[in-house]
Amino acid sequence: MSHLVSPAGRVAGFGVTVFAEFTALAEAHGAVNLGQGFPNFAAPDFVKEAAEAAIAADHNQYTRYGGHPALVQALAAQASADLGRPVDPWTEIQVTAGATASLFAACQGLLDPGDEVILFEPFYDAYPADVIMAGGVPRYVPLYPQADGAWRYDPDELAAAFGPRTRLLFLNTPHNPTGKVFASAENAEIAGLCQAHDVVVIADEAYERMTYDGVSMVRMASLPGMWERTLSIGSAGKTFSITGWKVGWSIGPAPLVAAVRAATQWMTFSIATPFQVAVAHALEKARALGYYPDMAAMYQDKRDRLAAILAAARLSPLTPQGTYFIVADTSAYDFPSDDAFCRWLTTAIGVAAIPPGAFYSEAHRPLASHLARFCFCKTDATLTAAAERLQRLA
Ligand SMILES: Cc1ncc(COP(=O)(O)O)c(C=O)c1O
Protein backbone atom coordinates (compact mmCIF):
# COMPACT_ATOMS: atom_id res chain seq x y z
CA MET A 1 0.00 0.00 0.00
CA SER A 2 1.17 3.55 -0.70
CA HIS A 3 2.67 5.47 2.23
CA LEU A 4 0.13 8.17 1.40
CA VAL A 5 -2.77 6.03 2.62
CA SER A 6 -1.37 3.42 5.05
CA PRO A 7 -1.52 4.24 8.76
CA ALA A 8 1.49 3.71 11.01
CA GLY A 9 1.72 0.30 12.63
CA ARG A 10 1.03 1.64 16.12
CA VAL A 11 -2.52 2.70 15.14
CA ALA A 12 -3.24 0.28 12.30
CA GLY A 13 -5.27 -2.14 14.40
CA PHE A 14 -7.44 0.38 16.23
CA GLY A 15 -10.55 0.82 14.06
CA VAL A 16 -13.58 2.86 15.16
CA THR A 17 -14.58 2.99 18.84
CA VAL A 18 -17.66 1.03 19.86
CA PHE A 19 -19.26 4.31 20.99
CA ALA A 20 -19.05 5.92 17.56
CA GLU A 21 -20.40 2.72 16.01
CA PHE A 22 -23.40 2.37 18.32
CA THR A 23 -24.22 6.08 18.36
CA ALA A 24 -24.40 5.97 14.55
CA LEU A 25 -26.55 2.80 14.74
CA ALA A 26 -28.85 4.45 17.32
CA GLU A 27 -29.26 7.52 15.12
CA ALA A 28 -29.94 5.47 12.00
CA HIS A 29 -32.71 3.53 13.80
CA GLY A 30 -34.13 6.33 15.93
CA ALA A 31 -33.18 4.40 19.08
CA VAL A 32 -33.16 5.85 22.61
CA ASN A 33 -29.44 6.11 23.23
CA LEU A 34 -28.37 4.55 26.55
CA GLY A 35 -25.01 3.75 24.98
CA GLN A 36 -22.37 6.46 25.19
CA GLY A 37 -21.89 7.93 28.68
CA PHE A 38 -22.60 11.63 28.44
CA PRO A 39 -25.42 13.53 30.17
CA ASN A 40 -28.21 14.69 27.84
CA PHE A 41 -29.31 17.34 30.33
CA ALA A 42 -28.01 20.86 30.93
CA ALA A 43 -24.87 21.58 32.92
CA PRO A 44 -25.49 23.47 36.20
CA ASP A 45 -26.05 27.22 35.77
CA PHE A 46 -23.21 28.16 38.13
CA VAL A 47 -20.81 26.26 35.88
CA LYS A 48 -22.10 27.66 32.58
CA GLU A 49 -22.15 31.21 33.93
CA ALA A 50 -18.54 30.86 35.08
CA ALA A 51 -17.44 30.05 31.52
CA GLU A 52 -19.36 33.00 30.07
CA ALA A 53 -17.80 35.28 32.68
CA ALA A 54 -14.31 33.94 31.96
CA ILE A 55 -14.63 34.72 28.26
CA ALA A 56 -16.09 38.17 28.98
CA ALA A 57 -13.19 38.87 31.37
CA ASP A 58 -10.85 38.07 28.47
CA HIS A 59 -9.23 34.89 29.81
CA ASN A 60 -8.77 34.03 26.16
CA GLN A 61 -5.03 33.53 25.56
CA TYR A 62 -2.64 30.65 26.20
CA THR A 63 -2.02 30.07 29.86
CA ARG A 64 0.68 28.42 31.94
CA TYR A 65 1.16 24.91 30.47
CA GLY A 66 0.98 23.15 33.84
CA GLY A 67 -2.51 24.62 34.17
CA HIS A 68 -4.10 28.01 34.84
CA PRO A 69 -3.03 29.31 38.30
CA ALA A 70 -6.63 29.57 39.50
CA LEU A 71 -7.39 25.98 38.50
CA VAL A 72 -4.28 24.35 39.93
CA GLN A 73 -4.79 26.24 43.18
CA ALA A 74 -8.43 25.14 43.41
CA LEU A 75 -7.42 21.55 42.61
CA ALA A 76 -4.63 21.67 45.19
CA ALA A 77 -7.05 22.84 47.88
CA GLN A 78 -9.50 20.06 47.02
CA ALA A 79 -6.84 17.33 46.73
CA SER A 80 -5.21 18.40 50.00
CA ALA A 81 -8.57 17.95 51.76
CA ASP A 82 -9.34 14.64 50.00
CA LEU A 83 -5.89 13.13 50.62
CA GLY A 84 -5.16 14.63 54.04
CA ARG A 85 -1.77 15.99 52.92
CA PRO A 86 -0.60 19.24 51.36
CA VAL A 87 -0.57 19.12 47.55
CA ASP A 88 1.60 21.66 45.73
CA PRO A 89 -0.31 23.40 42.93
CA TRP A 90 2.79 24.14 40.83
CA THR A 91 4.72 20.86 40.82
CA GLU A 92 2.19 18.20 41.84
CA ILE A 93 -0.67 18.99 39.42
CA GLN A 94 -0.86 18.94 35.62
CA VAL A 95 -4.01 20.06 33.79
CA THR A 96 -4.77 18.14 30.59
CA ALA A 97 -7.35 17.91 27.80
CA GLY A 98 -9.73 15.73 29.80
CA ALA A 99 -8.76 12.68 31.79
CA THR A 100 -8.15 11.12 28.38
CA ALA A 101 -5.02 13.19 27.76
CA SER A 102 -3.70 12.51 31.27
CA LEU A 103 -3.96 8.78 30.61
CA PHE A 104 -2.17 9.12 27.27
CA ALA A 105 0.51 11.45 28.63
CA ALA A 106 1.11 9.21 31.66
CA CYS A 107 1.87 6.29 29.34
CA GLN A 108 4.07 8.43 27.08
CA GLY A 109 5.89 9.84 30.09
CA LEU A 110 6.35 6.67 32.15
CA LEU A 111 6.65 3.70 29.79
CA ASP A 112 9.65 2.46 27.85
CA PRO A 113 9.14 -0.09 25.06
CA GLY A 114 8.45 -3.54 26.49
CA ASP A 115 7.34 -2.26 29.91
CA GLU A 116 4.26 -4.11 31.16
CA VAL A 117 1.04 -2.57 32.44
CA ILE A 118 -1.63 -4.36 34.48
CA LEU A 119 -5.19 -3.62 33.38
CA PHE A 120 -8.30 -4.96 35.07
CA GLU A 121 -10.94 -5.97 32.57
CA PRO A 122 -13.47 -4.94 31.57
CA PHE A 123 -11.35 -1.78 31.08
CA TYR A 124 -12.02 1.76 29.91
CA ASP A 125 -11.26 1.25 26.25
CA ALA A 126 -8.56 3.92 25.99
CA TYR A 127 -6.20 2.04 28.33
CA PRO A 128 -4.83 -0.65 26.00
CA ALA A 129 -4.49 1.88 23.17
CA ASP A 130 -2.56 4.27 25.44
CA VAL A 131 -0.26 1.48 26.58
CA ILE A 132 0.33 0.12 23.07
CA MET A 133 1.01 3.56 21.55
CA ALA A 134 3.71 4.05 24.21
CA GLY A 135 5.31 0.71 23.30
CA GLY A 136 4.02 -0.98 26.47
CA VAL A 137 2.52 -4.44 26.85
CA PRO A 138 -0.88 -4.85 28.59
CA ARG A 139 -1.34 -7.69 31.11
CA TYR A 140 -5.03 -8.34 31.74
CA VAL A 141 -6.68 -9.36 35.02
CA PRO A 142 -10.42 -10.08 34.75
CA LEU A 143 -13.07 -8.93 37.20
CA TYR A 144 -15.72 -11.62 37.54
CA PRO A 145 -19.39 -10.84 38.29
CA GLN A 146 -20.61 -12.57 41.47
CA ALA A 147 -24.05 -13.86 42.44
CA ASP A 148 -24.48 -10.85 44.77
CA GLY A 149 -23.95 -8.42 41.85
CA ALA A 150 -20.41 -7.47 42.94
CA TRP A 151 -17.36 -7.83 40.68
CA ARG A 152 -14.17 -9.38 42.05
CA TYR A 153 -10.74 -10.29 40.73
CA ASP A 154 -9.00 -13.55 41.55
CA PRO A 155 -6.13 -12.63 43.94
CA ASP A 156 -3.92 -15.37 42.47
CA GLU A 157 -4.46 -14.05 38.93
CA LEU A 158 -3.60 -10.53 40.10
CA ALA A 159 -0.42 -11.64 41.88
CA ALA A 160 0.62 -13.69 38.82
CA ALA A 161 0.26 -10.64 36.53
CA PHE A 162 3.19 -8.88 38.25
CA GLY A 163 6.66 -9.53 36.85
CA PRO A 164 10.09 -7.93 36.45
CA ARG A 165 8.89 -5.67 33.58
CA THR A 166 5.70 -4.44 35.32
CA ARG A 167 5.86 -0.64 35.47
CA LEU A 168 2.24 0.54 35.86
CA LEU A 169 -1.12 -0.72 37.15
CA PHE A 170 -4.31 1.08 36.11
CA LEU A 171 -6.91 1.25 38.86
CA ASN A 172 -10.24 2.77 37.86
CA THR A 173 -12.49 3.34 40.85
CA PRO A 174 -15.42 3.92 40.68
CA HIS A 175 -15.08 1.59 37.72
CA ASN A 176 -16.44 2.00 34.21
CA PRO A 177 -18.29 -0.09 33.05
CA THR A 178 -19.07 -2.25 36.13
CA GLY A 179 -19.77 0.55 38.64
CA LYS A 180 -17.53 -1.27 41.11
CA VAL A 181 -16.00 0.77 43.91
CA PHE A 182 -12.87 -1.13 44.96
CA ALA A 183 -13.14 -2.15 48.61
CA SER A 184 -10.59 -1.15 51.26
CA ALA A 185 -9.19 -4.67 51.46
CA GLU A 186 -8.77 -4.81 47.67
CA ASN A 187 -7.02 -1.44 47.64
CA ALA A 188 -4.70 -2.59 50.41
CA GLU A 189 -3.88 -5.80 48.54
CA ILE A 190 -3.19 -3.91 45.29
CA ALA A 191 -1.09 -1.34 47.15
CA GLY A 192 0.96 -4.10 48.79
CA LEU A 193 1.70 -5.76 45.44
CA CYS A 194 2.62 -2.44 43.81
CA GLN A 195 5.03 -1.64 46.62
CA ALA A 196 6.57 -5.11 46.54
CA HIS A 197 7.11 -4.91 42.76
CA ASP A 198 7.97 -1.18 42.57
CA VAL A 199 4.97 -0.40 40.37
CA VAL A 200 3.25 2.99 39.84
CA VAL A 201 -0.57 3.15 40.09
CA ILE A 202 -2.49 5.18 37.54
CA ALA A 203 -5.62 5.86 39.61
CA ASP A 204 -8.39 6.88 37.21
CA GLU A 205 -10.90 8.63 39.47
CA ALA A 206 -13.01 10.29 36.76
CA TYR A 207 -16.20 9.23 38.63
CA GLU A 208 -14.90 10.24 42.08
CA ARG A 209 -18.08 12.14 43.02
CA MET A 210 -20.52 9.42 41.95
CA THR A 211 -20.88 6.77 44.64
CA TYR A 212 -24.14 5.46 46.08
CA ASP A 213 -25.74 3.78 49.10
CA GLY A 214 -23.25 5.39 51.47
CA VAL A 215 -20.31 3.63 49.78
CA SER A 216 -17.22 5.82 49.62
CA MET A 217 -14.19 5.29 47.45
CA VAL A 218 -10.73 4.76 48.86
CA ARG A 219 -8.15 6.99 47.19
CA MET A 220 -5.06 4.94 46.43
CA ALA A 221 -2.86 8.02 46.99
CA SER A 222 -4.13 8.28 50.57
CA LEU A 223 -2.86 4.82 51.61
CA PRO A 224 0.44 4.54 53.53
CA GLY A 225 3.40 4.56 51.18
CA MET A 226 1.24 5.11 48.08
CA TRP A 227 1.39 8.87 47.45
CA GLU A 228 4.94 8.42 46.16
CA ARG A 229 3.82 5.89 43.54
CA THR A 230 0.32 7.06 42.54
CA LEU A 231 -0.85 9.40 39.80
CA SER A 232 -4.49 10.33 40.47
CA ILE A 233 -6.43 11.35 37.38
CA GLY A 234 -9.67 13.34 37.43
CA SER A 235 -12.18 14.90 35.04
CA ALA A 236 -14.40 17.96 35.36
CA GLY A 237 -16.49 16.57 32.49
CA LYS A 238 -18.12 13.88 34.62
CA THR A 239 -18.49 15.87 37.84
CA PHE A 240 -20.09 18.95 36.28
CA SER A 241 -21.86 17.38 33.26
CA ILE A 242 -19.54 19.21 30.85
CA THR A 243 -17.91 16.34 28.95
CA GLY A 244 -17.41 18.60 25.92
CA TRP A 245 -15.14 21.00 27.81
CA LYS A 246 -12.42 18.36 28.14
CA VAL A 247 -10.82 19.62 31.33
CA GLY A 248 -8.95 16.95 33.28
CA TRP A 249 -5.89 16.64 35.49
CA SER A 250 -3.15 14.47 36.95
CA ILE A 251 -2.18 14.83 40.61
CA GLY A 252 0.81 13.13 42.24
CA PRO A 253 4.39 13.48 43.43
CA ALA A 254 6.50 15.93 41.42
CA PRO A 255 8.55 13.31 39.50
CA LEU A 256 5.41 11.56 38.19
CA VAL A 257 3.71 14.85 37.32
CA ALA A 258 6.91 16.01 35.59
CA ALA A 259 6.70 12.95 33.33
CA VAL A 260 3.08 13.75 32.40
CA ARG A 261 4.04 17.40 31.87
CA ALA A 262 6.96 16.49 29.61
CA ALA A 263 4.55 14.69 27.26
CA THR A 264 1.70 17.21 27.61
CA GLN A 265 3.84 20.18 26.57
CA TRP A 266 4.22 18.63 23.10
CA MET A 267 0.65 17.33 22.84
CA THR A 268 -1.48 20.39 23.56
CA PHE A 269 0.86 22.71 25.48
CA SER A 270 -2.05 24.30 27.39
CA ILE A 271 -5.80 23.70 27.10
CA ALA A 272 -8.79 26.06 26.75
CA THR A 273 -8.11 28.92 29.20
CA PRO A 274 -11.70 30.13 29.83
CA PHE A 275 -12.83 26.60 30.65
CA GLN A 276 -9.96 26.21 33.12
CA VAL A 277 -10.94 29.45 34.85
CA ALA A 278 -14.58 28.32 34.90
CA VAL A 279 -13.74 24.90 36.38
CA ALA A 280 -11.65 26.62 39.08
CA HIS A 281 -14.71 28.67 39.95
CA ALA A 282 -16.97 25.58 39.86
CA LEU A 283 -14.66 23.64 42.21
CA GLU A 284 -14.69 26.52 44.67
CA LYS A 285 -18.47 26.88 44.56
CA ALA A 286 -19.38 23.16 44.53
CA ARG A 287 -18.71 22.51 48.20
CA ALA A 288 -20.44 25.68 49.35
CA LEU A 289 -23.52 24.78 47.30
CA GLY A 290 -23.62 21.16 48.50
CA TYR A 291 -23.41 20.23 44.80
CA TYR A 292 -21.58 16.89 45.17
CA PRO A 293 -24.09 15.13 47.48
CA ASP A 294 -26.99 16.56 45.49
CA MET A 295 -25.54 15.22 42.25
CA ALA A 296 -24.86 11.80 43.78
CA ALA A 297 -28.45 11.66 45.09
CA MET A 298 -29.78 12.56 41.64
CA TYR A 299 -27.73 9.80 40.01
CA GLN A 300 -28.64 7.23 42.68
CA ASP A 301 -32.28 7.92 41.89
CA LYS A 302 -31.66 7.47 38.16
CA ARG A 303 -29.70 4.28 38.86
CA ASP A 304 -32.63 2.86 40.79
CA ARG A 305 -35.06 3.82 38.02
CA LEU A 306 -32.97 2.23 35.29
CA ALA A 307 -32.29 -0.89 37.39
CA ALA A 308 -36.04 -1.38 37.85
CA ILE A 309 -36.70 -0.81 34.12
CA LEU A 310 -34.05 -3.38 33.17
CA ALA A 311 -35.24 -5.93 35.72
CA ALA A 312 -38.81 -5.63 34.39
CA ALA A 313 -37.42 -6.46 30.93
CA ARG A 314 -35.59 -9.55 32.29
CA LEU A 315 -32.23 -7.82 31.85
CA SER A 316 -30.79 -8.56 35.31
CA PRO A 317 -28.90 -5.48 36.54
CA LEU A 318 -25.57 -5.96 38.35
CA THR A 319 -26.30 -2.99 40.60
CA PRO A 320 -23.41 -0.49 40.53
CA GLN A 321 -22.02 1.28 43.61
CA GLY A 322 -20.72 4.16 41.50
CA THR A 323 -20.43 5.77 38.01
CA TYR A 324 -23.43 6.26 35.74
CA PHE A 325 -23.41 2.82 34.11
CA ILE A 326 -25.27 -0.43 34.73
CA VAL A 327 -24.08 -3.74 33.30
CA ALA A 328 -27.00 -6.13 32.89
CA ASP A 329 -27.04 -9.90 32.43
CA THR A 330 -28.84 -10.70 29.17
CA SER A 331 -28.89 -14.51 29.60
CA ALA A 332 -32.71 -14.56 29.49
CA TYR A 333 -32.32 -13.88 25.74
CA ASP A 334 -30.69 -16.31 23.40
CA PHE A 335 -28.03 -14.48 21.40
CA PRO A 336 -24.61 -15.76 20.32
CA SER A 337 -22.75 -12.65 21.60
CA ASP A 338 -23.08 -9.34 23.41
CA ASP A 339 -22.57 -7.60 20.08
CA ALA A 340 -25.48 -9.48 18.47
CA PHE A 341 -27.75 -8.75 21.44
CA CYS A 342 -26.93 -5.02 21.52
CA ARG A 343 -27.39 -4.67 17.75
CA TRP A 344 -30.80 -6.34 18.02
CA LEU A 345 -31.81 -4.21 21.01
CA THR A 346 -30.79 -1.04 19.14
CA THR A 347 -32.33 -1.85 15.75
CA ALA A 348 -35.39 -3.98 16.63
CA ILE A 349 -36.38 -2.69 20.09
CA GLY A 350 -35.08 0.87 19.74
CA VAL A 351 -32.84 1.13 22.81
CA ALA A 352 -29.07 1.42 22.31
CA ALA A 353 -26.68 -0.28 24.76
CA ILE A 354 -22.96 -0.96 24.44
CA PRO A 355 -21.61 -4.52 24.07
CA PRO A 356 -18.99 -4.81 26.83
CA GLY A 357 -16.83 -7.19 24.77
CA ALA A 358 -15.14 -3.98 23.56
CA PHE A 359 -13.77 -3.60 27.09
CA TYR A 360 -12.06 -7.01 27.18
CA SER A 361 -8.91 -8.40 25.58
CA GLU A 362 -9.47 -10.79 22.68
CA ALA A 363 -8.81 -13.84 24.88
CA HIS A 364 -11.34 -12.83 27.52
CA ARG A 365 -14.06 -11.41 25.24
CA PRO A 366 -16.33 -14.47 25.77
CA LEU A 367 -16.68 -13.33 29.43
CA ALA A 368 -18.92 -10.53 28.08
CA SER A 369 -21.08 -12.66 25.78
CA HIS A 370 -24.20 -12.33 27.98
CA LEU A 371 -23.67 -8.74 29.18
CA ALA A 372 -24.80 -5.28 28.00
CA ARG A 373 -23.86 -1.82 29.32
CA PHE A 374 -26.53 0.85 29.78
CA CYS A 375 -26.03 4.39 31.07
CA PHE A 376 -28.37 6.40 33.26
CA CYS A 377 -26.89 9.90 32.90
CA LYS A 378 -30.03 10.77 30.95
CA THR A 379 -33.15 12.85 31.54
CA ASP A 380 -36.09 11.15 33.21
CA ALA A 381 -37.95 11.58 29.90
CA THR A 382 -35.24 9.59 28.10
CA LEU A 383 -35.35 6.84 30.75
CA THR A 384 -39.16 6.73 30.46
CA ALA A 385 -38.91 6.47 26.66
CA ALA A 386 -36.47 3.57 27.07
CA ALA A 387 -38.82 1.92 29.59
CA GLU A 388 -41.72 2.10 27.13
CA ARG A 389 -39.70 0.39 24.42
CA LEU A 390 -38.23 -2.22 26.74
CA GLN A 391 -41.76 -3.15 27.86
CA ARG A 392 -41.95 -5.11 24.61
CA LEU A 393 -39.45 -7.52 26.18
CA ALA A 394 -41.34 -8.01 29.43
C1 LIG B 1 -12.98 5.67 33.30
C2 LIG B 1 -12.85 6.87 32.42
N1 LIG B 1 -11.69 7.52 32.40
C3 LIG B 1 -11.52 8.60 31.63
C4 LIG B 1 -12.54 9.09 30.83
C5 LIG B 1 -12.30 10.28 29.95
O1 LIG B 1 -12.60 11.46 30.60
P1 LIG B 1 -12.55 12.87 29.84
O2 LIG B 1 -13.83 13.05 29.13
O3 LIG B 1 -12.32 13.86 30.93
O4 LIG B 1 -11.40 12.82 28.88
C6 LIG B 1 -13.76 8.43 30.82
C7 LIG B 1 -14.86 8.91 29.95
O5 LIG B 1 -15.83 8.22 29.68
C8 LIG B 1 -13.94 7.29 31.64
O6 LIG B 1 -15.09 6.61 31.66
Side-chain angles (χ1 to χ4, degrees):
M1 202 191 288
S2 157
H3 289 299
L4 294 176
V5 292
S6 59
R10 78 176 71 82
V11 300
F14 287 165
V16 176
T17 78
V18 70
F19 305 111
E21 199 183 340
F22 272 79
T23 295
L25 198 64
E27 280 168 10
H29 291 268
V32 178
N33 194 350
L34 301 187
Q36 194 171 5
F38 61 87
N40 70 342
F41 44 81
D45 285 343
F46 74 96
V47 181
K48 290 193 290 192
E49 284 158 15
E52 285 162 18
I55 291 172
D58 220 0
H59 289 292
N60 294 317
Q61 308 306 328
Y62 297 132
T63 185
R64 178 182 170 269
Y65 79 96
H68 189 282
L71 179 54
V72 292
Q73 287 177 93
L75 285 168
Q78 180 172 275
S80 302
D82 288 339
L83 298 176
R85 59 165 298 128
V87 172
D88 181 67
W90 315 113
T91 59
E92 295 180 333
I93 297 181
Q94 174 67 38
V95 173
T96 56
T100 303
S102 274
L103 294 162
F104 184 79
C107 289
Q108 292 295 322
L110 294 169
L111 291 177
D112 281 316
D115 283 347
E116 295 182 6
V117 180
I118 296 177
L119 303 178
F120 289 102
E121 58 184 350
F123 43 69
Y124 178 56
D125 63 345
Y127 298 169
D130 290 339
V131 171
I132 290 164
M133 281 191 281
V137 180
R139 292 277 174 245
Y140 298 102
V141 177
L143 296 169
Y144 300 102
Q146 312 289 312
D148 62 0
W151 294 71
R152 296 203 184 88
Y153 60 81
D154 175 336
D156 293 335
E157 288 182 352
L158 177 62
F162 285 82
R165 291 301 308 262
T166 313
R167 175 88 167 107
L168 304 177
L169 175 146
F170 277 51
L171 182 71
N172 174 211
T173 183
H175 180 264
N176 173 11
T178 65
K180 173 184 174 68
V181 177
F182 280 73
S184 297
E186 292 173 318
N187 279 280
E189 182 171 44
I190 294 165
L193 285 163
C194 288
Q195 289 178 12
H197 293 272
D198 195 17
V199 165
V200 167
V201 176
I202 305 297
D204 181 346
E205 299 172 352
Y207 299 95
E208 62 187 330
R209 306 290 166 200
M210 289 164 208
T211 57
Y212 314 123
D213 306 325
V215 171
S216 51
M217 65 174 280
V218 176
R219 290 176 193 275
M220 192 47 97
S222 70
L223 298 187
M226 289 307 290
W227 163 259
E228 294 73 11
R229 56 178 66 252
T230 303
L231 194 68
S232 304
I233 291 178
S235 166
K238 311 294 174 189
T239 303
F240 296 111
S241 303
I242 45 170
T243 58
W245 289 17
K246 296 297 291 185
V247 177
W249 49 83
S250 293
I251 299 178
L256 294 184
V257 168
V260 174
R261 187 165 294 178
T264 299
Q265 68 180 329
W266 303 121
M267 289 163 54
T268 49
F269 185 71
S270 60
I271 64 150
T273 305
F275 289 147
Q276 293 196 53
V277 173
V279 170
H281 181 82
L283 290 170
E284 276 156 14
K285 269 209 130 176
R287 282 183 199 263
L289 292 174
Y291 171 76
Y292 297 140
D294 285 356
M295 180 196 55
M298 173 197 71
Y299 276 127
Q300 183 170 320
D301 190 55
K302 288 184 186 294
R303 177 202 65 172
D304 292 344
R305 282 181 58 127
L306 181 60
I309 291 166
L310 295 173
R314 294 182 299 137
L315 296 166
S316 303
L318 295 154
T319 305
Q321 301 169 305
T323 74
Y324 41 50
F325 304 105
I326 297 184
V327 172
D329 187 318
T330 64
S331 312
Y333 300 88
D334 192 17
F335 281 85
S337 68
D338 55 324
D339 191 74
F341 175 82
C342 289
R343 276 178 200 283
W344 171 76
L345 198 72
T346 306
T347 57
I349 303 298
V351 176
I354 297 290
F359 312 137
Y360 285 83
S361 60
E362 195 67 43
H364 293 146
R365 201 153 286 169
L367 290 172
S369 63
H370 59 288
L371 300 175
R373 191 197 81 170
F374 297 83
C375 65
F376 53 85
C377 50
K378 304 295 173 188
T379 62
D380 288 347
T382 301
L383 296 178
T384 303
E388 281 161 7
R389 292 172 181 214
L390 290 172
Q391 259 170 17
R392 287 185 225 163
L393 300 180

